Amino acid sequence: MNKVVLIGRLTKDPELKFTPGTGSAVATFTVAVDRRFSKDGQKEADFIPIVVWGKQAESTANYTGKGKLIGISGRIQTRSYDAKDGTKRYVTEVVAEEVQFLEWGSGNKAAGSSFNGNMSEEFGKTQSFGQETYGEDITPVDDGDIPF
Amino acid sequence: MNKVVLIGRLTKDPELKFTPGTGSAVATFTVAVDRRFSKDGQKEADFIPIVVWGKQAESTANYTGKGKLIGISGRIQTRSYDAKDGTKRYVTEVVAEEVQFLEWGSGNKAAGSSFNGNMSEEFGKTQSFGQETYGEDITPVDDGDIPF
Amino acid sequence: MNKVVLIGRLTKDPELKFTPGTGSAVATFTVAVDRRFSKDGQKEADFIPIVVWGKQAESTANYTGKGKLIGISGRIQTRSYDAKDGTKRYVTEVVAEEVQFLEWGSGNKAAGSSFNGNMSEEFGKTQSFGQETYGEDITPVDDGDIPF
Amino acid sequence: MNKVVLIGRLTKDPELKFTPGTGSAVATFTVAVDRRFSKDGQKEADFIPIVVWGKQAESTANYTGKGKLIGISGRIQTRSYDAKDGTKRYVTEVVAEEVQFLEWGSGNKAAGSSFNGNMSEEFGKTQSFGQETYGEDITPVDDGDIPF
DNA sequence: TTTT
DNA sequence: TTTT
């Protein structure tokens, strides 16, 4: 059993990439989740790294963005990589299986991602809110060559 | 909202320490959680770092141990520290708020911790199973000087 | 272990009552949570009964209302009562331990509850959004005589 | 968002049925989850109704049973039916998406279910423990005619 | 650096 | 390296 649920705000626009192999979309971003109990009244937050795969990665890249509130459910994943200094580094992140946009509106008009952004007319300026949840559509087939 | 639930096995006995300041107990350990979907049939797991505070830390140090199955609920916490090479390192771990021993029996009889271990007669060799859950008893008062 | 997380909309304004004994506040309401998979495209939802105790009950009664989006974490509780026809009825509901207002704004200006509603100037018409989470402040002391 | 995680014990052996239409397997049972905080020291539990579909329903019927410890993740579902006295009754239950046997061993040798029970030699008397989790294999296609 |  |  490995279950996570988070509600927080994106610290930046998501980064959209595609795996070299199968071309699966992957979005990565960080979510700031305010802590319930902070010492005295200081505002404190946890900054949790998120990974999303497949069609949801594209939705995420297009319908949410920096500062927007988002709900996520998924699981904690750990992996290691070799740092440039030769040491092994360990990463703990959340793989999102379900993403719920609690505030809509994306910042990524200027692109840099392969998505053409033609949704921006519908969602760009308007602040609409919904309860739609996007489920996992691609089994995260762990290509071996992860682009981050 | 920041909620985590895990069921997995300890990869080692927990490490019990006490904060220099208030003397609060802190236990740290890693839990191996088998993944539901692994590529082909290879056994794969996530190795998730756990922190437990207060009275629960002591229970954990004494009633569970390497290889034992445990249930955890809590939240994801991120923090940073300065590595010896001068760079900043980021850590993501789970702060357990509730710990449930799904298999009892500890390995740390020989001690090294301040706990006297007199429970070992009751729980040491026997493999008993229960559903008792130990709640958070100390608000994790983030001493500033965390001993790990 | 008994953990629930929900994001959904109130089907009505919360009902605020106070226990005869200790005078603890209790709010009850129903949250509609859209299903991810519904047969064909029909909109379907689960209508989940929620109970909140203490100071949070009052916040809930005042800062949210019919149609508003809310995040809840808590646990499932079951209880039974004797129906007027002499049969025993079983109830399953969610006891909220944490409530997060994803959209603010209450409908209960006209009252009927004992709360004086003097917050309505601040929160009444404006649609502001936040991430503030209100934790459990009163241990739900199960008076024995629950007013619903 | 609608997420539930439970760890508890079956109050009885699961009941296995098959939908008239598609012949999908459905198992139903109740899980007793001990409460963390009970008034004084009295042992109290919540008795939570569970529904499992598909292949997992069969696993459940065969590899677990009365008194066994089980981990469940899923969602809360509400439905209504017409009671014999003409009134509408509302039911809240947990639809399990993931089931983890924390203690193995089934009681349903004598059958009544279509499963032939030939696993009982492997799992019957031995008390083995594992971490295997069985995922949802059939999208719970809500036949319309649910056999309970 | 990992558990069964 | 962080969000409102």
Side-chain angles (χ1 to χ4, degrees), chain A residues 85 87-90, chain B residues 81-91:
Chain A
D85 66 353
T87 64
K88 222 177 184 74
R89 295 286 230 287
Y90 297 87
Chain B
Y81 66 94
D82 301 302
K84 330 90 219 166
D85 66 351
T87 64
K88 224 178 183 73
R89 296 284 229 289
Y90 297 88
V91 176

Side-chain angles (χ1 to χ4, degrees), chain C residues 34-122:
Chain C
D34 289 344
R35 287 188 191 157
R36 262 176 86 181
F37 307 109
S38 51
K39 63 182 142 192
D40 56 274
Q42 282 189 236
K43 199 56 168 298
E44 273 180 287
D46 292 291
F47 296 93
I48 302 170
I50 312 288
V51 185
V52 199
W53 289 88
K55 216 181 58 183
Q56 276 186 100
E58 305 194 19
S59 309
T60 296
N62 287 287
Y63 304 151
T64 190
K66 180 176 173 164
K68 295 287 179 274
L69 198 62
I70 201 177
I72 285 167
S73 78
R75 62 179 195 280
I76 298 178
Q77 179 170 88
T78 56
R79 54 189 178 85
S80 64
Y81 66 95
D82 300 301
K84 329 90 221 167
D85 65 354
T87 64
K88 220 177 186 76
R89 295 286 228 288
Y90 297 89
V91 176
T92 301
E93 63 210 343
V94 169
V95 179
E97 282 157 358
E98 210 175 298
V99 173
Q100 187 165 357
F101 304 133
L102 273 5
E103 292 174 21
W104 294 70
S106 148
N108 77 355
K109 11 197 118 218
S113 88
S114 79
F115 187 83
N116 67 11
N118 63 340
M119 247 37 176
S120 50
E121 292 178 354
E122 298 170 54

Side-chain angles (χ1 to χ4, degrees), chain A residues 32-34 36 98 131 135-136, chain C residues 33-34 36 98 131 135-136:
Chain A
V33 182
D34 290 342
R36 262 176 86 181
E98 209 175 299
Q131 201 190 138
E136 203 168 22
Chain C
V33 181
D34 289 344
R36 262 176 86 181
E98 210 175 298
Q131 201 189 140
E136 203 168 22

Side-chain angles (χ1 to χ4, degrees), chain B residues 54-77:
Chain B
K55 215 180 59 183
Q56 274 187 101
E58 305 194 20
S59 309
T60 296
N62 287 287
Y63 304 150
T64 190
K66 178 172 174 167
K68 295 287 179 275
L69 199 63
I70 201 179
I72 284 167
S73 79
R75 62 179 196 280
I76 297 179
Q77 181 170 86

Side-chain angles (χ1 to χ4, degrees), chain B residues 129, chain D residues 9 63-64 67-69 101-105 127-129:
Chain B
F129 308 90
Chain D
R9 296 184 182 279
Y63 305 151
T64 190
K68 295 286 179 276
L69 198 63
F101 304 133
L102 273 5
E103 291 174 20
W104 295 70
Q127 284 273 117
S128 55
F129 307 89

